[in-house]
Amino acid sequence: MDVNKFTVKFAAWYGDGKNGNCPTAEQWKRVLTRPLDKSITLVNFFKIRPMAIYGSGEQGVTGEEAFSRYSSVSLPAMEQAGGKFLVVGSHQGSFVGTNEDWDVIAVGVYPNLDALIALHTNEAYRECYHHRTAACERQKVFVCAE
C-alpha cells in the first residue's frame, strides 16, 4: 500500500487535521502503517454544538440534527465496509481520572485496515462527513490495537 498516496488523498477529502475535525497527516500515516490483518478499534468522543456550523453558510440546524445526518449515512457505510459499533451512548462521566465534558461516546471496530480504508474511501461517507464537522464543537478518537 502506498501510505503517502492515501495520506494525500484523505487530506484532500477530509482536511489537513489542523482544525481537530479529522486526522493530521502524521495520524493518517500512523494508522495506515498498521499491520493489514489486525483489527482496529476506534474510541470516539464527541462534544456536540448547540447549533451546527457549516462552512457553506447553512444555518438553523442544531448540532444534534447535523450529527444525526452524519450518523444516518456513516453507520450503514461502516457496516458495508465490514465495521461495527460495539457501543454508542451518552457520556455519563469518568469512573477513574479527571472528568471530561463529552456528549457521545462511540466504540467502533474494524476487522482489518482494509475495512477502515473502505469506509474512508466510500463516496457517501465522504459526502456526509461535513455534517460531523459542523456538529462537533470538539472530538477525540483513540486507536486501540488487538
Side-chain angles (χ1 to χ4, degrees):
M1 172 189 355
D2 186 341
V3 171
N4 289 326
K5 179 181 117 183
F6 275 108
T7 300
V8 169
K9 184 183 290 191
F10 290 152
W13 288 336
Y14 296 101
D16 62 13
K18 293 179 182 166
N19 63 4
N21 282 323
C22 61
T24 64
E26 179 182 315
Q27 290 166 328
W28 277 120
K29 286 180 184 178
R30 187 177 323 124
V31 168
L32 293 172
T33 56
R34 293 173 41 84
L36 297 175
D37 61 339
K38 300 290 184 186
S39 68
I40 301 172
T41 301
L42 300 180
V43 182
N44 299 264
F45 295 80
F46 300 106
K47 181 64 179 172
I48 307 298
R49 293 183 172 107
M51 296 303 292
I53 298 175
Y54 284 95
S56 64
E58 183 177 348
Q59 296 180 1
V61 177
T62 67
E64 286 183 15
E65 183 179 349
F67 197 75
S68 179
R69 290 177 182 178
Y70 164 74
S71 299
S72 70
V73 175
S74 67
L75 177 59
M78 180 183 184
E79 290 174 346
Q80 181 183 12
K84 65 180 179 180
F85 281 108
L86 301 178
V87 67
V88 177
S90 62
H91 179 255
Q92 300 292 303
S94 296
F95 185 55
V96 175
T98 305
N99 198 30
E100 295 184 26
D101 181 29
W102 298 102
D103 294 316
V104 178
I105 309 293
V107 181
V109 65
Y110 301 85
N112 53 43
L113 187 56
D114 284 340
L116 183 66
I117 291 170
L119 173 66
H120 284 89
T121 56
N122 178 300
E123 186 175 351
Y125 182 81
R126 290 194 324 262
E127 290 176 359
C128 82
Y129 196 84
H130 73 286
H131 295 301
R132 175 176 168 157
T133 59
C136 292
E137 178 181 310
R138 68 182 191 283
Q139 54 187 304
K140 281 194 228 185
V141 180
F142 294 104
V143 180
C144 301
E146 62 176 40

